[in-house]
Amino acid sequence: MPFCGSFCAFLRQVNVMHFEIDDDFIAEQNQNSRAAIDEDYEHLRKQLRRRNVDIEDLVKKAESFRVAVPSWGVGTGGTRFARFPGDGEPRDVYEKLEDCAAVFKLVRSTPAVSLHIPWDKPDDATKLVAFASARGLSFDAMNSNTFQDHPGQKHSYKFGSLTHPDKSVRDQAVAHNIECIEIGKTLGSKAHTVWIADGGNFPGQQHFRHALERYLESMRDIYAALPDDWRVFIEHKFYEPAFYSTVINDWGTSYYCARELGPKAFCLVDLGHHAPNVNIEMIVARLIQFGKLAGFHFNDSKYGDDDLDAGSIKPFQLFLIFNELVDAELSQAAHFNPAYMLDQSHNITDPIESLMMSAVELVRAYVQAHLVDRDALTEAQDNCDPLLALATLKQAFTTDVSPILAIARARAGGAIDPIRTYRQSGYRRHKAEERPTQKGITASGIV
Ligand code: RM4
Ligand code: MN
Ligand code: MN
């Protein structure tokens, strides 16, 4: 609790400073839009019935969808040029959980939080679990951070971490990852995500093959520390912060490493970590087919790793990815158990609003993918009829499933209109009072 200290802890205990969005307030707000949404739902129900689709089945699908929220996503992000902090930003992991709880209350599809260590290193993990579960939250995959130096650490990661030429740097990075797993055990997490920034800015800087050998050697030590029921997620990224080469640059390298490591290692797809125009849905299909898809860091991207809001730039691509996921779900593909997480940097919006809208966009894509007439699609494919195949996908993609999403949220106690309800609640204003801005303090991370 670096910015808040024992005074905050005291206030937290006596519970005098915690504005929360009330269930009754949500229900009251829902009343305002109830009549309109019921009408839209009824209309959609009839439309879908003509297509032999039972709308209630889709509501159930919407209700079942889960995506984890990144703890680092509730703070305002920034670029290397500037960061424009918002009012009432969370100052420690407890306040981050409060914001995650607000997101969860309104959209109901985000009950888990993914922590980043050491940004979110708990003073007492058991206490953190109690704080989270009091708000209906649990913990998703752990994330290690060897892409920046942390106060007090012996060796610098300036020239790499798990793949550094110096074994003592590698050992330090391995130990950090093992520490993340240890913390995660207490938190009830079941997976550890490893993303490294290791790479080069100059041709010749790194010996490509040796760097990858060192990666595998380090990862074997981390893999050995995994509990039996855990998985490790390898996250690739083609550039940034290294601008010439990265060690785990693409899904092929990730897949090779996951295979080398063993059955508990899987490949995580962060949508922003691909070059523009890459066919990500096809990468997803390949990883499903090879039984190695870990899951996702959802976001969107136009030019590079922009960590833009999911569904904001390429909603059709998002739909096509979910089309592959739903296809795998329905055909019960082997080893298919994807973990869904958001990983975004909210630089100019209220992070809570962005996270809510992104979560909703994911449920939308998931429900739309369930609307695809799979028999018609198979028939079109078998008949070599590309036009009809595309039309079949487009029919699902262009169906406005908003009433289904709204009804699913309302039935689960969430908001019919999450953004409006959030704004009406005055949550941010309350937090601005509870969490006065600390001048001169920088973010505990770039995102
Ligand atoms: C990276 C990558 C990781 C995330 C960091 C903050 O680009 O997406 O998943 O933990 O950013
Ligand atoms: Mn990521
Ligand atoms: Mn990223």
Side-chain angles (χ1 to χ4, degrees):
M1 253 184 287
F3 315 144
C4 193
S6 54
F7 184 58
C8 277
F10 168 72
L11 291 174
R12 195 168 281 129
Q13 259 165 15
V14 295
N15 211 20
V16 292
M17 57 176 287
H18 297 281
F19 175 79
E20 280 179 19
I21 301 173
D22 204 65
D23 289 335
D24 292 343
F25 178 78
I26 298 175
E28 208 178 280
Q29 290 289 310
N30 281 354
Q31 273 315 320
N32 300 333
S33 19
R34 192 78 225 190
I37 206 73
D38 283 348
E39 212 173 286
D40 292 350
Y41 185 77
E42 184 52 23
H43 178 70
L44 182 59
R45 191 182 67 77
K46 286 182 188 154
Q47 257 187 318
L48 293 177
R49 204 180 45 196
R50 284 198 295 275
R51 281 150 65 176
N52 288 324
V53 175
D54 182 347
I55 196 168
E56 286 295 324
D57 291 345
L58 294 176
V59 175
K60 283 196 199 91
K61 289 293 172 198
E63 281 173 338
S64 71
F65 186 84
R66 296 281 175 267
V67 59
V69 161
S71 66
W72 59 102
V74 288
T76 305
T79 67
R80 64 200 169 92
F81 297 100
R83 193 179 91 86
F84 301 100
D87 287 337
E89 289 197 291
R91 299 163 299 176
D92 61 26
V93 64
Y94 292 95
E95 292 182 349
K96 288 179 186 177
L97 288 180
E98 279 185 359
D99 287 1
C100 295
V103 173
F104 174 48
K105 267 218 149 162
L106 293 163
V107 300
R108 309 307 300 178
S109 48
T110 59
V113 182
S114 197
L115 294 190
H116 224 300
I117 306 296
W119 294 341
D120 302 318
K121 191 170 169 176
D123 43 3
D124 176 344
T126 315
K127 201 171 94 190
L128 195 67
V129 171
F131 187 88
S133 48
R135 286 155 183 80
L137 299 174
S138 58
F139 293 98
D140 207 82
M142 302 300 292
N143 298 270
S144 57
N145 178 341
T146 60
F147 46 85
Q148 59 183 176
D149 289 343
H150 309 296
Q153 89 182 34
K154 201 164 169 202
H155 306 287
S156 171
Y157 296 133
K158 181 174 177 181
F159 293 108
S161 58
L162 293 177
T163 76
H164 197 286
D166 183 343
K167 174 95 164 67
S168 44
V169 184
R170 300 203 296 277
D171 288 347
Q172 177 182 283
V174 167
H176 166 67
N177 276 275
I178 293 174
E179 188 198 4
C180 292
I181 296 171
E182 286 305 316
I183 297 170
K185 283 187 200 168
T186 313
L187 296 178
S189 175
K190 292 280 176 236
H192 179 52
T193 301
V194 183
W195 172 71
I196 53 165
D198 298 33
N201 272 13
F202 294 88
Q205 181 182 336
Q206 273 191 336
H207 190 291
F208 293 151
R209 284 187 290 119
H210 292 171
L212 191 59
E213 276 159 18
R214 293 194 288 263
Y215 175 80
L216 277 171
E217 187 190 292
S218 299
M219 283 299 283
R220 283 196 182 101
D221 291 344
I222 297 169
Y223 188 93
L226 285 175
D228 288 344
D229 57 346
W230 274 53
R231 297 186 291 166
V232 66
F233 299 162
I234 300 171
E235 182 177 358
H236 61 271
K237 181 174 183 180
F238 78 121
Y239 88 109
E240 201 210 17
F243 288 134
Y244 167 66
S245 64
T246 61
V247 180
I248 307 299
N249 59 305
D250 63 10
W251 73 276
T253 308
S254 173
Y255 174 67
Y256 167 77
C257 292
R259 276 200 57 166
E260 286 292 307
L261 287 170
K264 290 189 275 184
F266 294 84
C267 310
L268 185 130
V269 179
D270 182 313
L271 299 190
H273 291 190
H274 303 87
N277 303 327
V278 163
N279 188 337
I280 302 179
E281 56 271 27
M282 191 153 180
I283 293 174
V284 172
R286 293 286 187 258
L287 289 174
I288 291 170
Q289 189 160 6
F290 304 157
K292 281 294 190 188
L293 178 69
F296 292 85
H297 277 180
F298 287 111
N299 51 42
D300 215 334
S301 162
K302 176 86 176 149
Y303 301 108
D305 176 15
D306 297 308
D307 282 330
L308 299 176
D309 292 14
S312 64
I313 306 288
K314 289 173 275 190
F316 190 49
Q317 173 184 267
L318 188 62
F319 163 79
L320 293 173
I321 289 167
F322 272 99
N323 179 46
E324 296 303 327
L325 295 169
V326 167
D327 184 77
E329 177 191 320
L330 296 175
S331 60
Q332 297 177 338
H335 308 289
F336 180 70
N337 179 24
Y340 296 152
M341 282 169 273
L342 286 161
D343 180 10
Q344 306 181 160
S345 178
H346 312 111
N347 303 348
I348 55 165
T349 53
D350 179 328
I352 291 182
E353 295 189 4
S354 270
L355 286 166
M356 290 196 298
M357 197 180 253
S358 301
V360 169
E361 289 315 295
L362 298 179
V363 193
R364 184 189 309 283
Y366 179 65
V367 169
Q368 286 177 323
H370 268 289
L371 252 181
V372 172
D373 183 339
R374 298 211 172 256
D375 292 338
L377 184 60
T378 306
E379 207 181 307
Q381 289 167 347
D382 291 348
N383 291 338
C384 303
D385 189 340
L387 198 94
L388 204 62
L390 175 65
T392 305
L393 291 179
K394 279 289 182 73
Q395 186 191 41
F397 177 66
T398 55
T399 305
D400 181 6
V401 297
S402 302
I404 295 175
L405 312 186
I407 291 293
R409 282 194 300 274
R411 284 188 191 168
I416 289 178
D417 185 340
I419 304 289
R420 210 192 60 187
T421 306
Y422 170 74
R423 291 188 178 186
Q424 292 287 334
S425 77
Y427 182 91
R428 187 56 73 189
R429 184 169 38 78
H430 286 284
K431 293 299 151 188
E433 282 160 22
E434 290 173 14
R435 308 166 178 171
T437 311
Q438 311 274 311
K439 290 266 179 270
I441 286 166
T442 54
S444 56
I446 43 125
V447 295

